[in-house]
Amino acid sequence: MFKRRKKLTLFQHAREMIWPSMGWRRMGRYIRLRITRLSDSARSIALALAIGVGVGFSPLIGTHFPQVIFLAWMFRVNIMVALVGNCIANPWTFPFIWWASIKFGAFLVSAFGIHTKTAALPPHLDLSHLWHIMTHEPVRIFLPWMLGGHVLGILAALISYPIFYRVVKAAKTARSRAKLYKIHQMAREVTAEHKSKSARH
């Protein structure tokens, strides 16, 4: 679906993730066009994208693609589209996703009344505190991070699904209308040409 004629090196792949050579706007337009041209239904495409977005909030970074592939297979949706949705988690968004997940997870842990040393986080958590906890007490940060990341992931998938559905549905409808208009235009041209030939004879 998104294959290149010339394969990129590992360095080029990393560079494309951080800053696409064609620019973010053209990249977004290219992906949108390729997705809307798929024969899959708007619901299926929207669900695949929502799955990718949701998994993007998981703190288990090395397992994002396996998670997306498994969930896409389980829900019978396009795996490549789901992987595109997972691109919401990229070097530009990771810091914001992680910070939101940790803070929200700490709030949930506190709301559930879990006040053990393992789960509790300082009320005013900054980067220096976070680094100290991650290097000296990794489990203390892992619990709220996991909880917050997965809850936010589920919420992100639920919120993004109707948005993706409307966008994909509108794009598919516009494309169908454009194709129908082109067919009618060609039919009119053929009819006009036929009438012109008949008149000459």
Side-chain angles (χ1 to χ4, degrees):
M1 178 175 135
F2 296 102
K3 290 182 179 178
R4 292 175 175 266
R5 292 181 180 178
K6 184 179 179 181
K7 291 185 177 181
L8 299 178
T9 65
L10 184 61
F11 173 76
Q12 288 172 328
H13 271 296
R15 187 183 62 187
E16 286 292 320
M17 286 184 64
I18 297 173
W19 196 271
S21 56
M22 67 173 62
W24 287 106
R25 182 175 295 181
R26 284 190 62 194
M27 173 65 78
R29 185 172 180 273
Y30 169 76
I31 291 174
R32 180 175 61 83
L33 287 174
R34 295 301 296 267
I35 287 176
T36 54
R37 287 176 180 174
L38 293 174
S39 59
D40 305 47
S41 68
R43 293 183 183 278
S44 176
I45 293 174
L47 180 57
L49 290 170
I51 287 172
V53 170
V55 173
F57 283 80
S58 171
L60 304 176
I61 303 170
T63 66
H64 277 192
F65 278 15
Q67 287 186 65
V68 169
I69 292 170
F70 172 74
L71 290 173
W73 171 80
M74 188 172 70
F75 285 96
R76 300 294 188 270
V77 296
N78 192 301
I79 292 175
M80 290 302 298
V81 175
L83 290 173
V84 169
N86 187 246
C87 289
I88 186 178
N90 59 67
W92 296 102
T93 60
F94 273 141
F96 303 101
I97 291 175
W98 295 340
W99 186 259
S101 298
I102 293 169
K103 295 293 285 186
F104 187 57
F107 166 77
L108 291 177
V109 165
S110 177
F112 290 145
I114 305 175
H115 295 295
T116 63
K117 182 182 178 183
T118 305
L121 292 174
H124 302 292
L125 186 64
D126 56 26
L127 290 177
S128 61
H129 282 107
L130 182 60
W131 179 252
H132 178 81
I133 294 172
M134 289 182 68
T135 53
H136 293 83
E137 303 173 275
V139 178
R140 188 179 176 191
I141 201 74
F142 187 71
L143 176 60
W145 195 354
M146 281 286 291
L147 181 60
H150 284 94
V151 172
L152 284 180
I154 293 171
L155 291 175
L158 293 174
I159 292 170
S160 63
Y161 171 77
I163 298 173
F164 285 134
Y165 175 75
R166 291 189 183 93
V167 172
V168 174
K169 183 72 174 177
K172 279 183 168 290
T173 301
R175 187 167 182 268
S176 298
R177 287 176 179 172
K179 287 176 67 177
L180 189 61
Y181 174 79
K182 188 176 181 180
I183 292 172
H184 287 167
Q185 187 70 20
M186 291 175 64
R188 284 195 293 268
E189 290 175 359
V190 171
T191 303
E193 184 179 352
H194 179 71
K195 287 181 178 179
S196 177
K197 288 181 178 180
S198 300
R200 285 198 298 268
H201 292 290

